[in-house]
Amino acid sequence: MRILYITFESPSKFYGGGKAIIQSLESLSAFAEIDYVGLPFDLQSFPQFNIKNHYFLTKKKNPFKGLINIFRGVPTFLYASWKKIKKRLQPENYDLAFIEFSNIDFAVKWAKENNLKTVVRAHNVEYDIVCSISKAKRFDYKKLRATLNKRAILKRERRCLNSADKIIFLTQNDFERAQSLYKLDLSDKCIIVPICMHSLNERKFDKIFDFEYALATGSLNYAANVEGIVWFIKNVWTPYCQEYKSELKFVVAGSKPSDEFIKLCNETANCVFVNTPDDLAPYLEYAKFYIAPIFVGAGMKVKVSEALSHGLNVIGTAHAFIGYESMKKYLYFAQSAREFTDEIVKLSAQPHSEKQKEECKAAFKNEFTLEISQARYKAAVNELLEKEVL
């Protein structure tokens, strides 16, 4: 079987969307050959991908065309490169097209025009993400772009979901939200596949710190992550340190921080900032517990998945826990500063329990490992192609 895989982000080990793309490519590689259309990446870093041919998209700076595309609601700066690459593709060579993200309507349209069945993976409801970016407190280019094109994204996402032959949602919440928002009945072509990743097996990690710490991670060029952690530092962590005189520290490990964010961490008592670590696993493995102060957004949070995979209890908001309902034994809900503080006091007083940690890892492995994802992707593709034959 050969699949044409289309994405306008790259696989990456350093941010949530990139890790979700790795999940798709590994899941498809388990049963098919792949021709990749997307952003460049180091192929040798991912030998597990069964990629036979690749067509790397390139970005050329053209301010005039960029401005036009913003007002048209084109969800990528790589649209011009896509138009060139699609002329080189031979659709008759593929069994189907797999399209990452639910607002790439132009790729679905091309596939349908060339008689290719299409699977779309919705990382979240893209319109909700654009709306959350447009409401960010800090004004920057991302906020301006989201504000200008969110209505166009609404139309593009509806067309994409309506035209796709099969849709993979991360959560039941996203599925229900998409149906409600777009007034579409997607039940016959929807499947739910949560964020999944490799089990840790017997991998060993060196201990980095000699002190107990709570941990938060994330891409720090994403407004929701920054605003959540900044809120936590100012409204929870600083008052907690003043009131309880605890030796517990708060470690933030993230990529692409602003100078202002680094300064805040450095000036906060018992706060340690780790700038763009090569591997988050050692930090997760030895954390006392995990902090997820996420107040806006949609879809599943990869950071919560990573924390649970290491057996960590997680203190977080309702947004952070979407899709992880089956892991509620290890989730500590907090929406206000007082609730976060109360849960920190509770968990920091608990002695280390290797038994509970292993139980959490086992529960995670039952529902969120890559083998589960591979089986569900394969079943969805086989069902779609069998229907085509019939």
Side-chain angles (χ1 to χ4, degrees):
M1 183 185 299
R2 176 160 289 192
I3 292 174
L4 177 65
Y5 178 88
I6 302 171
T7 178
F8 288 84
E9 291 189 27
S10 59
S12 171
K13 300 174 183 177
F14 299 106
Y15 75 101
K19 293 172 184 176
I21 289 170
I22 291 174
Q23 176 189 344
S24 284
L25 285 168
E26 288 205 38
S27 296
L28 295 171
S29 293
F31 61 90
E33 294 181 342
I34 297 170
D35 278 13
Y36 172 93
V37 177
L39 279 171
F41 69 97
D42 182 6
L43 291 165
Q44 293 183 347
S45 296
F46 297 95
Q48 68 271 38
F49 297 165
N50 191 13
I51 293 177
K52 296 303 177 183
N53 298 296
H54 61 273
Y55 305 87
F56 284 157
L57 297 163
T58 57
K59 185 193 300 184
K60 291 185 178 180
K61 294 183 179 179
N62 187 321
F64 178 70
K65 286 187 177 180
L67 186 62
I68 290 175
N69 284 340
I70 286 175
F71 282 100
R72 291 174 60 201
V74 177
T76 174
F77 293 108
L78 302 161
Y79 183 66
S81 182
W82 156 254
K83 289 200 296 185
K84 293 180 180 179
I85 284 178
K86 71 179 183 180
K87 295 176 182 177
R88 298 165 55 193
L89 300 174
Q90 297 178 303
E92 65 274 10
N93 290 342
Y94 306 112
D95 294 284
L96 61 85
F98 188 103
I99 298 162
E100 205 81 58
F101 301 103
S102 56
N103 55 0
I104 312 298
D105 63 317
F106 51 85
V108 175
K109 181 181 178 182
W110 173 85
K112 302 297 284 186
E113 288 174 348
N114 287 279
N115 299 314
L116 274 175
K117 292 289 184 180
T118 59
V119 178
V120 168
R121 188 189 187 201
H123 286 220
N124 41 56
V125 177
E126 292 294 333
Y127 175 72
D128 289 346
I129 292 294
V130 171
C131 286
S132 71
I133 294 172
S134 72
K135 295 175 183 176
K137 295 177 183 178
R138 182 176 178 177
F139 186 85
D140 56 14
Y141 177 74
K142 289 183 178 180
K143 178 180 174 74
L144 175 62
R145 186 181 184 212
T147 302
L148 290 174
N149 71 11
K150 63 183 178 181
R151 289 188 178 275
I153 293 296
L154 186 74
K155 295 177 181 178
R156 288 186 178 277
E157 186 164 41
R158 189 185 193 283
R159 286 196 294 264
C160 188
L161 295 175
N162 191 44
S163 300
D165 296 298
K166 184 75 72 174
I167 306 165
I168 300 175
F169 285 98
L170 300 185
T171 70
Q172 185 70 20
N173 292 45
D174 283 347
F175 163 63
E176 292 173 0
R177 169 62 176 157
Q179 289 205 128
S180 173
L181 177 63
Y182 295 117
K183 305 296 188 293
L184 296 171
D185 182 2
L186 305 174
S187 53
D188 287 344
K189 57 182 180 180
C190 160
I191 66 166
I192 308 295
V193 183
I195 291 293
C196 295
M197 57 185 60
H198 286 290
S199 57
L200 295 173
N201 296 321
E202 298 302 317
R203 188 180 173 193
K204 301 296 182 182
F205 308 97
D206 292 331
K207 196 171 184 179
I208 296 173
F209 301 121
D210 59 0
F211 51 77
E212 283 194 337
Y213 60 94
L215 177 69
T217 61
S219 300
L220 298 172
N221 61 342
Y222 179 48
N225 288 340
V226 176
E227 290 175 7
I229 295 175
V230 169
W231 174 88
F232 176 82
I233 289 174
K234 292 181 177 180
N235 295 281
V236 180
W237 188 251
T238 298
Y240 166 78
C241 290
Q242 293 170 348
E243 181 178 356
Y244 290 93
K245 312 300 181 185
S246 171
E247 294 183 1
L248 183 74
K249 295 187 184 299
F250 178 47
V251 173
V252 182
S255 60
K256 300 181 180 178
S258 66
D259 291 340
E260 182 182 4
F261 184 88
I262 295 174
K263 184 173 183 289
L264 174 65
C265 291
N266 290 339
E267 293 178 351
T268 299
N270 292 333
C271 183
V272 178
F273 178 64
V274 182
N275 196 342
T276 317
D278 291 333
D279 188 359
L280 285 173
Y283 299 91
L284 288 158
E285 185 66 18
Y286 293 102
K288 178 79 172 175
F289 49 85
Y290 190 87
I291 303 290
I294 304 164
F295 295 95
V296 295
M300 292 181 73
K301 304 300 178 282
V302 176
K303 57 176 67 67
V304 174
S305 182
E306 291 176 321
L308 292 169
S309 74
H310 284 264
L312 293 179
N313 291 318
V314 182
I315 304 173
T317 60
H319 271 290
F321 294 157
I322 293 172
Y324 297 103
E325 291 78 12
S326 63
M327 299 291 292
K328 62 183 179 181
K329 179 179 178 181
Y330 310 99
L331 306 178
Y332 292 76
F333 173 82
Q335 205 70 19
S336 67
R338 186 69 253 172
E339 288 171 336
F340 268 96
T341 301
D342 290 344
E343 299 302 340
I344 290 171
V345 171
K346 182 191 301 181
L347 287 180
S348 61
Q350 288 184 5
H352 175 76
S353 172
E354 195 63 32
K355 179 181 178 182
Q356 186 197 46
K357 189 170 184 177
E358 292 305 316
E359 286 176 352
C360 180
K361 289 181 180 180
F364 177 87
K365 188 175 181 179
N366 285 337
E367 297 207 34
F368 300 104
T369 48
L370 197 63
E371 292 79 8
I372 293 169
S373 176
Q374 291 169 346
R376 292 184 185 176
Y377 272 53
K378 184 176 182 180
V381 167
N382 285 343
E383 180 187 359
L384 187 59
L385 296 180
E386 286 172 6
K387 285 183 178 179
E388 183 179 24
V389 172
L390 293 175

